[in-house]
């Protein structure tokens, strides 16, 4: 047997467990879900397809269409706000915090990660409530005459999400910033750029890979999240994952839940393709 | 050699320990049955371990059974009005004649029509209560709570929460519109759309059990439609102002039943568990479970409950309450789908 064939066989052997894992735990369940989405619920029984009536319903029924719109609106808003807050934070930690304090600063930045996601969401429910810390402070300081409703609104959902994703984005952007050679900034300054121009025209573009990667992760995790909108949103509008859970838990409508899940996957795939195109990841 | 012997001894022990505790009962339950205080006496008496899996909503429970193998589950807790649905799908086994006595039960909650199919008893009621109005009496006028109409009056706008379960809340909206739950068919349902949407507009949130309790306890809302003793009783010691009532239009009676799952390999043990749960001791413990309180179906449990506990459960008012409460709507599949569509519309608007 030639060395080339031996190496090929060794390569295949090494890759096989990962491929098998992906086949069993991703490809097969995905195919089962796709097949299920082509069935439909009649009465309380699942009737095998194939037909596209679930997809037709998703794009014609107002409550389901609104679920997609609500999910996209919240996700885009959360991603933009999180990037806007995380970038300066990461930049301050990477460039303004003395090296010996950076580890502590990063630790403090990600400290909330150590709390359970559900507990953190319920904590926000208490903080944002009418009797919560925020309203008490605003009313106490005379900035509001009476409490306003934040809890059980989209604002509460966005706040809960942003708190979580700022930490994630700070890490991805920070890892990008610390890899940048300080010579880029020095060269720009030597050529007459102001500090703001250095940040805007040199540092910011160079950190775009970290920003886009973090933003993509934020987008994927946010649009697929059920817990935060369920606890903080007060069920006053439903996101796509909440609609999926309604089909599963209450209706027992697995075909519609599968169809909605595939729509969710499609949105994530489109987001990935956009990011990959942006970063030209396919060339890496 | 010593190492090998140690390994062999360890393997033997590992094999023996599970063997010594091999008897297990798998129960598909609501959260009130997960209270160790309820399960421990049965486990000790029968030297058995009770494995529980919680679920919410009949559809979810039936789906779990659909995806299980025969013998995976031994007993199941289910809405009394949904027993026939589970029997129809072949998930419940008939109980042996005379296995469980309902002689000491509150007559109104025996619900033989719902727990039996074709003359065979498949389940027995174990706990009941009301979906009605729960409120903070320090924040609202208790007299207003004597009528469901107060919720649409504008006086409590922004201070109302809706319990996120379509059957009892649609039932209550129906009662407010003068429609009995037994008459809530597809035609009657459309009459509820407008009042339901107005109720949503007047409400602050639509929430599950935990979020509803949190909202009432923290003062986020002052009234919960769909709430009742099952929601306020566990908070009573912390905030005695949390109260509930059945308005003049009536309230909804919820009742949960327990039955033996078809295909169980341990029918005797399953029956013993059902007997324990419906015994005075089991009933008292179930009634005051840490997850939520509710009235025991068996009146004999009164001897095992303290006067304080009975006071919180409004034991002495049950005759009046039972007379004024109606059972959940029992929609056919088509009406059920229409109800859920309306509920989803309400959530999204």
């Amino acid at each position: 047997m030639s060395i080339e064939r031996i190496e090929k066989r060794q390569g295949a052997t090494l890759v096989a467990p990962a491929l098998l894992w992906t086949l069993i735990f991703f490809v097969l369940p995905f195919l089962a879900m796709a097949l299920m989405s082509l069935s439909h619920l009649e009465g309380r029984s699942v009737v095998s397809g194939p037909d596209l009536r679930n997809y037709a319903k998703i794009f014609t029924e107002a409550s389901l269409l609104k679920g997609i719109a609500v999910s996209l609106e919240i996700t885009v808003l959360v991603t933009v706000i999180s990037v806007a807050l995380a970038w300066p934070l990461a930049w301050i930690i990477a460039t303004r915090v003395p090296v010996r304090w950076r580890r502590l600063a990063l630790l403090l930045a990600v400290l909330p990660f150590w709390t359970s996601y559900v507990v953190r969401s319920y904590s926000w429910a208490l903080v944002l409530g009418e009797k919560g810390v925020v309203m008490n402070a605003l009313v106490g300081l005379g900035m509001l005459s009476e409490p306003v409703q934040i809890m059980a609104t989209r604002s509460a959902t966005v706040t809960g999400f942003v708190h979580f994703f700022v930490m994630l984005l700070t890490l991805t952007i920070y890892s990008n910033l610390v890899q940048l050679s300080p010579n880029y900034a020095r060269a720009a300054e030597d050529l007459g750029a102001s500090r703001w121009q250095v940040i805007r025209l040199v540092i910011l573009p160079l950190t775009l890979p970290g920003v886009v990667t973090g933003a993509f992760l934020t987008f994927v995790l946010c649009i697929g999240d059920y817990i935060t909108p369920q606890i903080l949103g007060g069920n006053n509008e439903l996101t796509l994952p909440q609609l999926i859970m309604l089909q599963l838990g209450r209706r027992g409508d697995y075909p519609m839940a599968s169809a909605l899940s595939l729509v969710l996957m499609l949105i994530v795939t489109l987001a990935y393709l956009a990011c990959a195109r942006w970063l030209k990841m396919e060339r890496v | 050699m010593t190492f090998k012997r140690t390994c062999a001894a360890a393997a033997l022990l590992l094999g023996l320990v599970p063997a010594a505790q091999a008897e297990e009962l798998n129960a598909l339950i609501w959260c009130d049955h997960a209270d160790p205080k309820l399960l421990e006496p049965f486990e000790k008496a029968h030297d058995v371990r009770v494995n529980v899996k919680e679920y919410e909503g009949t559809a979810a429970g039936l789906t779990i059974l659909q995806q299980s193998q025969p013998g995976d589950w031994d007993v199941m807790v289910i809405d009394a009005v949904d027993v026939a649905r589970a029997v129809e799908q072949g998930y419940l086994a008939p109980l042996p004649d005379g296995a469980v006595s309902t002689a000491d039960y509150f007559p109104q909650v025996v619900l033989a029509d719902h727990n039996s199919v074709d003359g065979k008893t498949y389940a027995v009621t174990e706990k009941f209560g009301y979906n009605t109005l729960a409120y903070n009496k320090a924040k609202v006028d208790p007299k207003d709570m004597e009528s469901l109409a107060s919720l649409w009056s504008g006086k409590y706008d922004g201070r109302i929460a809706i319990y996120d379960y379509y059957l009892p809340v649609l039932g209550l909206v129906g009662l407010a519109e003068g429609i009995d739950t037994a008459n809530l068919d597809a035609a009657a349902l459309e009459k509820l759309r407008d009042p339901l949407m107005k109720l949503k507009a007047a409400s602050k949130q639509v929430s599950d059990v935990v979020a509803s309790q949190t909202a009432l306890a923290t003062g986020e809302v002052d009234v919960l439609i769909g709430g009742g003793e099952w929601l306020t009783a566990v908070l009573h010691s912390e905030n005695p102002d949390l109260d509930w009532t059945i308005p003049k239009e009536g309230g909804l009676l919820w009742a949960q039943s327990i039955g033996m799952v078809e295909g169980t390999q341990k029918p005797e043990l399953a029956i013993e568990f059902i007997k324990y749960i419906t015994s005075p001791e089991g009933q008292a413990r179930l009634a005051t479970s840490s997850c939520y309180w509710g009235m025991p179906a068996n009146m004999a449990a009164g001897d095992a409950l303290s006067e304080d506990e009975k006071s919180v459960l409004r034991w002495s008012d049950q005759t009046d309450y039972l007379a004024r409460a109606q059972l959940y709507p029992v929609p056919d599949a088509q009406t059920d789908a229409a109800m859920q569509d309306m509920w989803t519309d309400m959530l999204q608007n």
Side-chain angles (χ1 to χ4, degrees):
Chain A
M1 190 182 287
S2 70
I3 291 176
E4 196 178 326
R5 283 191 66 184
I6 291 171
E7 282 179 345
K8 270 188 180 174
R9 201 171 63 181
Q10 281 176 340
T13 310
L14 287 171
V15 170
L19 279 178
L20 197 64
W21 180 273
T22 308
L23 181 74
I24 294 171
F25 294 108
F26 177 72
V27 178
L28 292 180
F30 175 79
L31 290 176
M33 196 169 74
L35 202 63
M36 177 62 85
S37 77
L38 300 175
S39 307
H40 67 274
L41 200 67
E42 212 164 271
R44 289 182 173 122
S45 310
V46 173
V47 178
S48 296
D51 64 60
L52 295 172
R53 67 179 74 184
N54 288 325
Y55 293 97
K57 200 174 171 189
I58 289 171
F59 293 105
T60 52
E61 201 159 289
S63 60
L64 299 177
L65 261 180
K66 191 178 173 189
I68 298 173
V70 167
S71 282
L72 283 171
E73 285 166 19
I74 289 176
T75 303
V76 169
L77 191 62
V78 166
T79 307
V80 170
I81 296 174
S82 300
V83 169
L85 292 176
W87 201 94
L89 179 61
W91 183 78
I92 288 167
I93 295 173
T95 62
R96 290 293 177 266
V97 174
V99 176
R100 67 178 182 280
W101 294 111
R102 269 186 209 166
R103 204 171 276 185
L104 180 64
L106 273 179
L107 185 73
L108 290 174
V110 301
L111 203 58
F113 265 126
W114 295 5
T115 321
S116 149
Y117 192 44
V118 177
V119 171
R120 199 165 48 235
S121 293
Y122 273 112
S123 304
W124 272 113
L126 296 176
V127 169
L128 297 174
E130 285 188 12
K131 305 279 188 300
V133 180
V134 173
M135 281 305 138
N136 278 342
L138 292 174
V139 173
L141 292 169
M143 296 168 76
L144 287 175
S145 56
E146 58 182 39
V148 294
Q149 183 184 352
I150 298 178
M151 184 52 205
T153 65
R154 186 184 287 192
S155 301
T157 304
V158 170
T159 304
F161 272 138
V162 166
H163 176 230
F164 181 74
F165 291 119
V166 161
M167 295 183 280
L168 182 77
L169 273 157
T170 301
L171 288 180
T172 59
I173 297 169
Y174 172 84
S175 65
N176 212 184
L177 277 166
V178 292
Q179 287 174 28
L180 290 183
S181 166
N183 289 338
Y184 291 123
R186 286 178 198 144
E189 281 170 351
D190 284 351
L191 292 168
S194 66
R195 183 161 292 176
W196 170 239
Q197 284 175 317
V198 171
I199 291 173
R200 189 167 60 87
L201 300 172
V202 180
I203 309 292
L204 192 57
L206 287 171
T207 56
L208 274 184
V211 171
V212 174
T213 306
F216 173 68
L217 286 175
T218 301
F219 186 93
V220 172
L221 294 173
C222 185
I223 204 165
D225 189 283
Y226 165 76
I227 305 267
T228 301
Q230 184 69 20
I231 294 175
L232 297 176
N235 257 343
N236 282 319
E237 57 184 4
L238 299 178
T239 60
L240 205 41
Q242 286 177 293
L243 283 170
I244 293 169
M245 284 301 291
L246 262 186
Q247 312 305 319
L248 293 174
R250 198 158 278 172
R251 292 176 177 245
D253 191 347
Y254 275 62
M256 178 55 87
S258 302
L260 286 167
S261 301
L262 283 175
V263 169
L264 183 59
M265 279 188 75
L266 178 70
I267 294 171
V268 171
T269 306
L270 290 174
Y272 169 77
L273 291 174
C275 291
R277 195 174 181 81
W278 179 278
L279 292 175
K280 296 186 172 54
M281 282 167 73
E282 66 273 20
R283 291 184 195 172
V284 176
Chain B
M1 194 63 185
T2 309
F3 177 72
K4 277 186 181 173
R5 278 182 185 165
T6 308
C7 288
L12 191 64
L13 273 174
L14 284 171
L16 285 176
V17 170
Q21 296 177 346
E23 193 74 318
E24 294 186 347
L25 185 84
N26 294 333
L28 194 55
I29 50 126
W30 293 2
C31 67
D32 55 343
H33 289 65
D35 190 345
K37 188 188 79 176
L38 171 68
L39 300 177
E40 273 170 10
F42 178 80
E43 289 180 324
K44 280 184 184 164
H46 293 82
D47 192 23
V48 63
R49 178 182 166 81
V50 179
N51 302 315
V52 294
K53 179 172 176 61
E54 295 176 31
Y55 79 93
E56 277 183 44
T58 301
L62 297 182
T63 303
I64 293 169
L65 288 174
Q66 189 184 13
Q67 294 174 341
S68 303
Q69 296 295 317
D72 282 356
W73 302 102
D74 302 304
V75 292
M76 177 193 198
V77 175
I78 187 169
D79 256 319
V81 294
D82 287 327
V83 169
R85 188 173 155 191
V87 172
E88 184 189 319
Q89 295 181 31
Y91 294 134
L92 288 179
L95 299 175
D97 289 340
V100 184
S101 169
T102 56
D104 292 332
Y105 270 39
F106 287 93
Q108 298 92 330
V109 300
V110 172
L111 301 174
D113 288 350
H114 292 281
N115 287 319
S116 305
V117 176
D118 296 334
K120 288 181 186 170
T121 303
Y122 286 85
V124 59
T125 315
E126 50 166 26
K127 191 173 177 178
F128 70 96
Y130 309 92
N131 289 105
T132 173
L133 292 180
Y135 58 93
N136 185 333
K137 63 187 175 191
K139 302 282 186 62
V140 304
D141 184 349
K143 280 192 175 173
D144 288 340
M145 298 297 109
E146 289 171 9
S147 171
L148 286 168
S150 301
L151 303 186
W152 284 268
S153 68
K155 186 174 177 182
Y156 295 104
D157 281 8
R159 296 162 66 189
I160 301 167
I162 302 172
Y163 173 47
D164 185 16
Y165 191 18
Y166 67 106
L167 282 175
V169 176
L170 285 174
L172 285 166
V173 175
L175 292 182
E177 294 295 304
I179 302 167
D180 287 350
T181 55
N183 300 327
L184 201 50
D185 54 16
L189 186 62
E190 268 314 303
K191 294 179 189 163
L192 306 190
R193 181 175 288 277
D194 188 44
L196 182 67
M197 296 304 166
K198 284 181 179 160
L199 181 65
K200 170 72 185 301
S203 302
K204 191 171 193 177
Q205 63 187 69
V206 185
S207 37
D208 61 17
V209 177
V210 177
S212 297
Q213 282 177 329
T214 307
L216 264 184
T218 58
E220 282 296 306
V221 298
D222 300 325
V223 187
L224 174 73
I225 181 170
E229 79 297 334
W230 55 275
L231 192 118
T232 57
V234 286
L235 300 170
H236 186 263
S237 56
E238 291 170 36
N239 187 353
D241 286 331
L242 298 183
D243 207 345
W244 63 281
T245 190
I246 296 184
K248 65 181 183 191
E249 295 89 344
L252 261 72
L253 173 71
W254 59 263
Q256 60 191 63
S257 294
I258 185 166
M260 182 166 66
V261 177
E262 182 65 53
T264 173
Q265 302 298 307
K266 299 160 191 165
E268 293 86 7
L269 192 60
I271 296 291
E272 285 304 314
F273 186 70
I274 294 170
K275 279 184 182 172
Y276 164 70
I277 290 291
T278 52
S279 71
E281 185 202 357
Q283 286 278 280
R285 288 172 185 264
L286 182 65
T288 55
S289 160
S290 58
C291 187
Y292 63 91
W293 285 30
M295 276 294 295
N298 190 342
M299 283 189 283
D303 299 335
L305 289 166
S306 71
E307 286 308 312
D308 279 350
E309 288 169 336
K310 286 204 277 189
S311 166
V312 172
L313 288 166
R314 309 266 183 89
W315 189 277
S316 57
D317 296 324
Q318 292 304 314
T319 309
D320 173 47
Y321 288 170
L322 283 166
R324 293 165 56 204
Q326 301 185 17
L327 277 174
Y328 271 33
V330 191
D332 56 33
Q334 200 176 356
T335 311
D336 190 46
M339 283 178 159
Q340 299 208 43
D341 283 344
M342 187 182 284
W343 193 255
T344 308
D345 286 347
M346 182 273 289
L347 292 172
Q348 276 297 40
N349 285 293

